[in-house]
Amino acid sequence: MTNTTQPLAAHLDPHRPAPSLPLEDLFRASYNDIEYLKIYLSDDPTAHHHHHLLPLTLIPRIEAFQVDITNRYTEIFKHAFPHRANEPFGLALYQAEATWTNVTRLLRLLDTANWDLVRWARTAALLDLGKPDLRRRAVARGEELWQHRYTEIKTCIDAVLSRFDYKGQPLAYVGSLNHGIRGAHKGHTAINFNDFDVDLFVVHAEEWRHHLPAIRANFPAHFSNEKIFPVGTHLRELQALGEAVGRALAVELRVKVRDAGRFVGETEIVLREVDRW
C-alpha cells in the first residue's frame, strides 16, 4: 500500500513545505486510512453486507496499535528534533538515512494493519476492500463520518467551555482539537477521538502578573514558556475551575468518546499573559 523505494521528492507536493520527517506524507496517509476504514466499518451500517460491524473486541486492538505507532513516530521525531527551534532547519545529512529507515519500519507495520482490516472486511463483512475503487469509496465515506464526529465533539466541548470563565475571561484551548489534525510530532495525522487532550488556557494579564513572583519563588517548575501551570500551586481557584470543567466534559462527552471519565482530575487550565501558545 505504500512505496518507500522511490526518492523522497517523488512523494512531495512542490507547493507544500517539506514534511518534518522523511516519508511523513506516506505515514499520514496510511495512518489516516486505518482511522477512516475503522470508522467506516464500525459506525456506518450501510457500509456492510448484512450489517456486519467490526467486533467490539477488535476496535480496542486497532486503537491500541494506533496509539503505539503514533508514540513510535513521536520518539523518532523527538530524536531528530530535540528542540522545536531545530525543526525549521530540517534534518542534517547524517540523520536523514537513519530517520528514513526508522519511519520505513513504521510504514511496514501500518501496511500490515491496513491489510488486516482488508482481510477482516473480506471474510466477515463480504466486502472486498482490496479492490481499489471499493477501497477509495470506503476511505472517503470513513473520512466523511470522521469529519462529522469531529465536528460533533468539538461543538460539544465548545458548548461546555462557554459555561465557564476565569474572572471574566473566557477559556480556550490549543492543539489538535482546533482543527482535528495533530502536530508534526505525530505526523499531522487525524485526531484519535478516544485519545486526545483538551489543552486549556485562559488569558488574564493582571492575574498572571500578580501571581508570577510567587510562582517563580515557590513553584518554579510550574512556569514554562511564559505559562503558569496551576495544579500543585497556591492558585486554588484556577485549580477548582479546571476540576469543574473536567467534570462537565466527562458528563457531556460520555456517549461521544470512550473513557470520558479521564477528564475528571486531569483537566488543567494554564494561565497566560497574552494569547500566544
Side-chain angles (χ1 to χ4, degrees):
M1 292 184 185
T2 56
N3 180 2
T4 60
T5 61
Q6 300 180 35
L8 177 60
H11 303 296
L12 301 183
D13 181 339
H15 301 293
R16 289 184 52 196
S20 296
L21 290 185
L23 305 173
E24 182 202 79
D25 285 1
L26 289 179
F27 179 87
R28 177 174 60 254
S30 189
Y31 177 96
N32 285 354
D33 275 5
I34 292 175
E35 178 66 18
Y36 299 149
L37 287 175
K38 177 190 71 180
I39 292 176
Y40 174 76
L41 292 169
S42 59
D43 287 359
D44 185 8
T46 66
H48 327 292
H49 188 67
H50 299 313
H51 294 189
H52 284 125
L53 302 177
L54 277 172
L56 294 178
T57 55
L58 185 56
I59 294 175
R61 286 169 49 196
I62 295 171
E63 294 188 338
F65 168 80
Q66 290 178 289
V67 171
D68 180 66
I69 203 77
T70 301
N71 288 342
R72 293 190 191 195
Y73 187 93
T74 300
E75 288 177 9
I76 296 171
F77 185 92
K78 289 183 176 180
H79 181 74
F81 304 109
H83 306 286
R84 295 196 67 176
N86 302 134
E87 295 175 30
F89 301 100
L91 292 173
L93 289 176
Y94 74 90
Q95 294 176 296
E97 184 176 354
T99 303
W100 181 291
T101 299
N102 290 333
V103 176
T104 298
R105 291 194 186 102
L106 300 188
L107 291 175
R108 292 186 182 125
L109 294 174
L110 285 166
D111 272 355
T112 299
N114 264 294
W115 281 114
D116 285 346
L117 273 176
V118 169
R119 280 191 291 271
W120 180 89
R122 183 181 294 132
T123 57
L126 304 182
L127 183 66
D128 190 358
L129 295 179
K131 294 180 178 179
D133 287 347
L134 283 178
R135 181 182 177 84
R136 278 193 294 270
R137 289 200 295 270
V139 170
R141 176 57 180 158
E143 186 173 4
E144 290 175 2
L145 292 166
W146 178 93
Q147 183 63 51
H148 175 78
R149 190 173 174 196
Y150 163 69
T151 301
E152 182 182 42
I153 290 171
K154 186 178 187 302
T155 299
C156 177
I157 291 172
D158 290 345
V160 169
L161 297 185
S162 70
R163 291 154 36 191
F164 298 90
D165 67 84
Y166 178 65
K167 298 183 183 295
Q169 296 302 311
L171 307 184
Y173 52 81
V174 296
S176 57
L177 188 59
N178 272 301
H179 305 290
I181 304 301
R182 302 187 291 187
H185 64 297
K186 295 184 178 180
H188 294 114
T189 49
I191 192 174
N192 184 335
F193 297 125
N194 293 313
D195 183 38
F196 70 90
D197 299 315
V198 182
D199 297 317
L200 294 172
F201 72 96
V202 62
V203 176
H204 199 306
E206 183 179 354
E207 283 290 296
W208 185 88
R209 293 169 190 150
H210 173 71
H211 291 290
L212 184 59
I215 292 292
R216 279 179 162 160
N218 302 313
F219 308 100
H222 292 256
F223 183 68
S224 176
N225 294 327
E226 304 303 312
K227 303 186 291 284
I228 295 175
F229 295 83
V231 173
T233 73
H234 65 285
L235 296 175
R236 302 193 186 282
E237 183 178 352
L238 195 52
Q239 292 179 58
L241 180 61
E243 292 169 0
V245 172
R247 289 192 295 270
L249 288 172
V251 170
E252 298 299 331
L253 292 173
R254 66 188 183 281
V255 297
K256 293 180 172 61
V257 302
R258 192 174 67 244
D259 190 25
R262 69 181 184 272
F263 294 108
V264 177
E266 297 293 332
T267 301
E268 183 173 27
I269 303 170
V270 173
L271 180 61
R272 294 196 56 85
E273 181 187 24
V274 294
D275 188 3
R276 184 183 69 251
W277 196 256

